[in-house]
PDB file of all heavy atoms in Angstrom:
ATOM      1  N   VAL A  20      10.377   3.969  -1.390  1.00 94.00           N
ATOM      2  CA  VAL A  20      11.121   2.730  -1.597  1.00 94.00           C
ATOM      3  C   VAL A  20      12.108   2.493  -0.453  1.00 94.00           C
ATOM      4  O   VAL A  20      12.234   1.364   0.041  1.00 94.00           O
ATOM      5  CB  VAL A  20      11.844   2.755  -2.977  1.00 94.00           C
ATOM      6  CG1 VAL A  20      12.834   1.613  -3.098  1.00 94.00           C
ATOM      7  CG2 VAL A  20      10.839   2.692  -4.096  1.00 94.00           C
ATOM      8  N   SER A  21      12.780   3.542   0.004  1.00 94.00           N
ATOM      9  CA  SER A  21      13.707   3.399   1.128  1.00 94.00           C
ATOM     10  C   SER A  21      12.988   2.983   2.405  1.00 94.00           C
ATOM     11  O   SER A  21      13.482   2.142   3.167  1.00 94.00           O
ATOM     12  CB  SER A  21      14.440   4.717   1.374  1.00 94.00           C
ATOM     13  OG  SER A  21      15.167   5.089   0.254  1.00 94.00           O
ATOM     14  N   THR A  22      11.821   3.544   2.643  1.00 93.00           N
ATOM     15  CA  THR A  22      11.043   3.187   3.820  1.00 93.00           C
ATOM     16  C   THR A  22      10.574   1.740   3.743  1.00 93.00           C
ATOM     17  O   THR A  22      10.622   1.003   4.736  1.00 93.00           O
ATOM     18  CB  THR A  22       9.824   4.126   3.952  1.00 93.00           C
ATOM     19  OG1 THR A  22      10.296   5.470   4.000  1.00 93.00           O
ATOM     20  CG2 THR A  22       9.024   3.820   5.185  1.00 93.00           C
ATOM     21  N   ALA A  23      10.129   1.317   2.566  1.00 94.00           N
ATOM     22  CA  ALA A  23       9.700  -0.075   2.393  1.00 94.00           C
ATOM     23  C   ALA A  23      10.866  -1.036   2.591  1.00 94.00           C
ATOM     24  O   ALA A  23      10.699  -2.109   3.186  1.00 94.00           O
ATOM     25  CB  ALA A  23       9.083  -0.264   1.016  1.00 94.00           C
ATOM     26  N   MET A  24      12.046  -0.662   2.130  1.00 93.00           N
ATOM     27  CA  MET A  24      13.209  -1.526   2.320  1.00 93.00           C
ATOM     28  C   MET A  24      13.585  -1.627   3.792  1.00 93.00           C
ATOM     29  O   MET A  24      13.904  -2.712   4.292  1.00 93.00           O
ATOM     30  CB  MET A  24      14.382  -1.013   1.501  1.00 93.00           C
ATOM     31  CG  MET A  24      14.204  -1.224   0.015  1.00 93.00           C
ATOM     32  SD  MET A  24      15.565  -0.604  -0.963  1.00 93.00           S
ATOM     33  CE  MET A  24      16.846  -1.721  -0.474  1.00 93.00           C
ATOM     34  N   LEU A  25      13.536  -0.511   4.511  1.00 91.00           N
ATOM     35  CA  LEU A  25      13.832  -0.532   5.945  1.00 91.00           C
ATOM     36  C   LEU A  25      12.824  -1.381   6.701  1.00 91.00           C
ATOM     37  O   LEU A  25      13.191  -2.202   7.549  1.00 91.00           O
ATOM     38  CB  LEU A  25      13.844   0.890   6.498  1.00 91.00           C
ATOM     39  CG  LEU A  25      14.058   1.022   7.995  1.00 91.00           C
ATOM     40  CD1 LEU A  25      15.470   0.589   8.361  1.00 91.00           C
ATOM     41  CD2 LEU A  25      13.795   2.436   8.440  1.00 91.00           C
ATOM     42  N   LEU A  26      11.561  -1.217   6.384  1.00 91.00           N
ATOM     43  CA  LEU A  26      10.519  -1.995   7.041  1.00 91.00           C
ATOM     44  C   LEU A  26      10.642  -3.476   6.698  1.00 91.00           C
ATOM     45  O   LEU A  26      10.524  -4.347   7.574  1.00 91.00           O
ATOM     46  CB  LEU A  26       9.142  -1.460   6.631  1.00 91.00           C
ATOM     47  CG  LEU A  26       7.942  -1.904   7.422  1.00 91.00           C
ATOM     48  CD1 LEU A  26       8.109  -1.537   8.903  1.00 91.00           C
ATOM     49  CD2 LEU A  26       6.693  -1.249   6.876  1.00 91.00           C
ATOM     50  N   GLY A  27      10.919  -3.791   5.446  1.00 90.00           N
ATOM     51  CA  GLY A  27      11.086  -5.184   5.045  1.00 90.00           C
ATOM     52  C   GLY A  27      12.289  -5.842   5.709  1.00 90.00           C
ATOM     53  O   GLY A  27      12.233  -6.998   6.122  1.00 90.00           O
ATOM     54  N   ARG A  28      13.380  -5.098   5.810  1.00 90.00           N
ATOM     55  CA  ARG A  28      14.565  -5.647   6.493  1.00 90.00           C
ATOM     56  C   ARG A  28      14.291  -5.891   7.972  1.00 90.00           C
ATOM     57  O   ARG A  28      14.756  -6.869   8.535  1.00 90.00           O
ATOM     58  CB  ARG A  28      15.754  -4.703   6.337  1.00 90.00           C
ATOM     59  CG  ARG A  28      16.436  -4.836   5.009  1.00 90.00           C
ATOM     60  CD  ARG A  28      17.690  -3.997   4.981  1.00 90.00           C
ATOM     61  NE  ARG A  28      18.534  -4.278   6.149  1.00 90.00           N
ATOM     62  CZ  ARG A  28      19.667  -4.955   6.109  1.00 90.00           C
ATOM     63  NH1 ARG A  28      20.069  -5.436   4.968  1.00 90.00           N
ATOM     64  NH2 ARG A  28      20.379  -5.138   7.197  1.00 90.00           N
ATOM     65  N   SER A  29      13.552  -4.988   8.610  1.00 88.00           N
ATOM     66  CA  SER A  29      13.248  -5.192  10.025  1.00 88.00           C
ATOM     67  C   SER A  29      12.306  -6.380  10.220  1.00 88.00           C
ATOM     68  O   SER A  29      12.459  -7.152  11.162  1.00 88.00           O
ATOM     69  CB  SER A  29      12.662  -3.927  10.647  1.00 88.00           C
ATOM     70  OG  SER A  29      11.372  -3.682  10.167  1.00 88.00           O
ATOM     71  N   TRP A  30      11.332  -6.541   9.317  1.00 88.00           N
ATOM     72  CA  TRP A  30      10.438  -7.700   9.398  1.00 88.00           C
ATOM     73  C   TRP A  30      11.216  -8.990   9.187  1.00 88.00           C
ATOM     74  O   TRP A  30      10.985  -9.985   9.860  1.00 88.00           O
ATOM     75  CB  TRP A  30       9.347  -7.605   8.350  1.00 88.00           C
ATOM     76  CG  TRP A  30       8.264  -6.619   8.640  1.00 88.00           C
ATOM     77  CD1 TRP A  30       8.066  -5.934   9.797  1.00 88.00           C
ATOM     78  CD2 TRP A  30       7.235  -6.221   7.745  1.00 88.00           C
ATOM     79  NE1 TRP A  30       6.985  -5.118   9.674  1.00 88.00           N
ATOM     80  CE2 TRP A  30       6.454  -5.278   8.435  1.00 88.00           C
ATOM     81  CE3 TRP A  30       6.918  -6.547   6.449  1.00 88.00           C
ATOM     82  CZ2 TRP A  30       5.346  -4.672   7.851  1.00 88.00           C
ATOM     83  CZ3 TRP A  30       5.823  -5.950   5.870  1.00 88.00           C
ATOM     84  CH2 TRP A  30       5.043  -5.028   6.576  1.00 88.00           C
ATOM     85  N   ASN A  31      12.130  -8.979   8.223  1.00 88.00           N
ATOM     86  CA  ASN A  31      12.915 -10.181   7.930  1.00 88.00           C
ATOM     87  C   ASN A  31      13.847 -10.528   9.086  1.00 88.00           C
ATOM     88  O   ASN A  31      13.992 -11.703   9.441  1.00 88.00           O
ATOM     89  CB  ASN A  31      13.716  -9.969   6.645  1.00 88.00           C
ATOM     90  CG  ASN A  31      14.314 -11.245   6.135  1.00 88.00           C
ATOM     91  OD1 ASN A  31      13.834 -12.331   6.420  1.00 88.00           O
ATOM     92  ND2 ASN A  31      15.394 -11.113   5.372  1.00 88.00           N
ATOM     93  N   ALA A  32      14.471  -9.527   9.688  1.00 87.00           N
ATOM     94  CA  ALA A  32      15.398  -9.784  10.790  1.00 87.00           C
ATOM     95  C   ALA A  32      14.678 -10.318  12.022  1.00 87.00           C
ATOM     96  O   ALA A  32      15.234 -11.130  12.762  1.00 87.00           O
ATOM     97  CB  ALA A  32      16.154  -8.504  11.148  1.00 87.00           C
ATOM     98  N   CYS A  33      13.456  -9.869  12.252  1.00 87.00           N
ATOM     99  CA  CYS A  33      12.703 -10.295  13.438  1.00 87.00           C
ATOM    100  C   CYS A  33      11.703 -11.401  13.131  1.00 87.00           C
ATOM    101  O   CYS A  33      10.895 -11.766  13.997  1.00 87.00           O
ATOM    102  CB  CYS A  33      11.986  -9.097  14.059  1.00 87.00           C
ATOM    103  SG  CYS A  33      13.102  -7.874  14.740  1.00 87.00           S
ATOM    104  N   ASP A  34      11.687 -11.904  11.902  1.00 85.00           N
ATOM    105  CA  ASP A  34      10.795 -12.984  11.487  1.00 85.00           C
ATOM    106  C   ASP A  34       9.323 -12.635  11.745  1.00 85.00           C
ATOM    107  O   ASP A  34       8.589 -13.356  12.407  1.00 85.00           O
ATOM    108  CB  ASP A  34      11.166 -14.295  12.193  1.00 85.00           C
ATOM    109  CG  ASP A  34      10.598 -15.509  11.489  1.00 85.00           C
ATOM    110  OD1 ASP A  34      10.357 -15.404  10.263  1.00 85.00           O
ATOM    111  OD2 ASP A  34      10.404 -16.544  12.142  1.00 85.00           O
ATOM    112  N   VAL A  35       8.915 -11.498  11.185  1.00 84.00           N
ATOM    113  CA  VAL A  35       7.549 -11.001  11.342  1.00 84.00           C
ATOM    114  C   VAL A  35       6.767 -11.297  10.077  1.00 84.00           C
ATOM    115  O   VAL A  35       7.299 -11.224   8.975  1.00 84.00           O
ATOM    116  CB  VAL A  35       7.555  -9.476  11.599  1.00 84.00           C
ATOM    117  CG1 VAL A  35       6.154  -8.909  11.609  1.00 84.00           C
ATOM    118  CG2 VAL A  35       8.253  -9.179  12.906  1.00 84.00           C
ATOM    119  N   GLY A  36       5.505 -11.627  10.213  1.00 80.00           N
ATOM    120  CA  GLY A  36       4.639 -11.827   9.060  1.00 80.00           C
ATOM    121  C   GLY A  36       4.511 -13.275   8.668  1.00 80.00           C
ATOM    122  O   GLY A  36       5.002 -14.189   9.334  1.00 80.00           O
ATOM    123  N   VAL A  37       3.843 -13.493   7.545  1.00 76.00           N
ATOM    124  CA  VAL A  37       3.581 -14.834   7.060  1.00 76.00           C
ATOM    125  C   VAL A  37       4.863 -15.457   6.504  1.00 76.00           C
ATOM    126  O   VAL A  37       5.327 -16.483   6.969  1.00 76.00           O
ATOM    127  CB  VAL A  37       2.496 -14.805   5.969  1.00 76.00           C
ATOM    128  CG1 VAL A  37       2.210 -16.186   5.447  1.00 76.00           C
ATOM    129  CG2 VAL A  37       1.236 -14.164   6.499  1.00 76.00           C
ATOM    130  N   ASN A  38       5.417 -14.838   5.482  1.00 81.00           N
ATOM    131  CA  ASN A  38       6.689 -15.249   4.888  1.00 81.00           C
ATOM    132  C   ASN A  38       7.228 -14.075   4.075  1.00 81.00           C
ATOM    133  O   ASN A  38       6.565 -13.059   3.936  1.00 81.00           O
ATOM    134  CB  ASN A  38       6.546 -16.516   4.031  1.00 81.00           C
ATOM    135  CG  ASN A  38       5.531 -16.354   2.931  1.00 81.00           C
ATOM    136  OD1 ASN A  38       5.274 -15.259   2.466  1.00 81.00           O
ATOM    137  ND2 ASN A  38       4.952 -17.459   2.492  1.00 81.00           N
ATOM    138  N   ASN A  39       8.402 -14.227   3.537  1.00 80.00           N
ATOM    139  CA  ASN A  39       9.014 -13.112   2.812  1.00 80.00           C
ATOM    140  C   ASN A  39       8.249 -12.744   1.551  1.00 80.00           C
ATOM    141  O   ASN A  39       8.186 -11.580   1.178  1.00 80.00           O
ATOM    142  CB  ASN A  39      10.468 -13.432   2.466  1.00 80.00           C
ATOM    143  CG  ASN A  39      11.355 -13.375   3.668  1.00 80.00           C
ATOM    144  OD1 ASN A  39      11.031 -12.709   4.650  1.00 80.00           O
ATOM    145  ND2 ASN A  39      12.475 -14.060   3.615  1.00 80.00           N
ATOM    146  N   ALA A  40       7.653 -13.715   0.886  1.00 83.00           N
ATOM    147  CA  ALA A  40       6.907 -13.428  -0.339  1.00 83.00           C
ATOM    148  C   ALA A  40       5.661 -12.592  -0.037  1.00 83.00           C
ATOM    149  O   ALA A  40       5.351 -11.640  -0.739  1.00 83.00           O
ATOM    150  CB  ALA A  40       6.523 -14.717  -1.045  1.00 83.00           C
ATOM    151  N   ALA A  41       4.941 -12.943   1.011  1.00 85.00           N
ATOM    152  CA  ALA A  41       3.752 -12.179   1.386  1.00 85.00           C
ATOM    153  C   ALA A  41       4.123 -10.785   1.867  1.00 85.00           C
ATOM    154  O   ALA A  41       3.474  -9.797   1.513  1.00 85.00           O
ATOM    155  CB  ALA A  41       2.964 -12.919   2.460  1.00 85.00           C
ATOM    156  N   ASN A  42       5.179 -10.695   2.663  1.00 88.00           N
ATOM    157  CA  ASN A  42       5.611  -9.386   3.150  1.00 88.00           C
ATOM    158  C   ASN A  42       6.060  -8.483   2.005  1.00 88.00           C
ATOM    159  O   ASN A  42       5.691  -7.306   1.947  1.00 88.00           O
ATOM    160  CB  ASN A  42       6.766  -9.533   4.149  1.00 88.00           C
ATOM    161  CG  ASN A  42       6.308 -10.145   5.449  1.00 88.00           C
ATOM    162  OD1 ASN A  42       5.131 -10.240   5.740  1.00 88.00           O
ATOM    163  ND2 ASN A  42       7.275 -10.585   6.232  1.00 88.00           N
ATOM    164  N   SER A  43       6.851  -9.023   1.082  1.00 88.00           N
ATOM    165  CA  SER A  43       7.326  -8.198  -0.025  1.00 88.00           C
ATOM    166  C   SER A  43       6.202  -7.852  -0.986  1.00 88.00           C
ATOM    167  O   SER A  43       6.206  -6.772  -1.576  1.00 88.00           O
ATOM    168  CB  SER A  43       8.463  -8.888  -0.772  1.00 88.00           C
ATOM    169  OG  SER A  43       8.010 -10.093  -1.353  1.00 88.00           O
TER     170      SER A  43
END
Side-chain angles (χ1 to χ4, degrees):
V20 169
S21 300
T22 304
M24 288 179 68
L25 176 68
L26 194 58
R28 280 187 51 107
S29 70
W30 285 351
N31 192 24
C33 294
D34 199 25
V35 173
V37 180
N38 57 26
N39 286 337
N42 290 345
S43 63

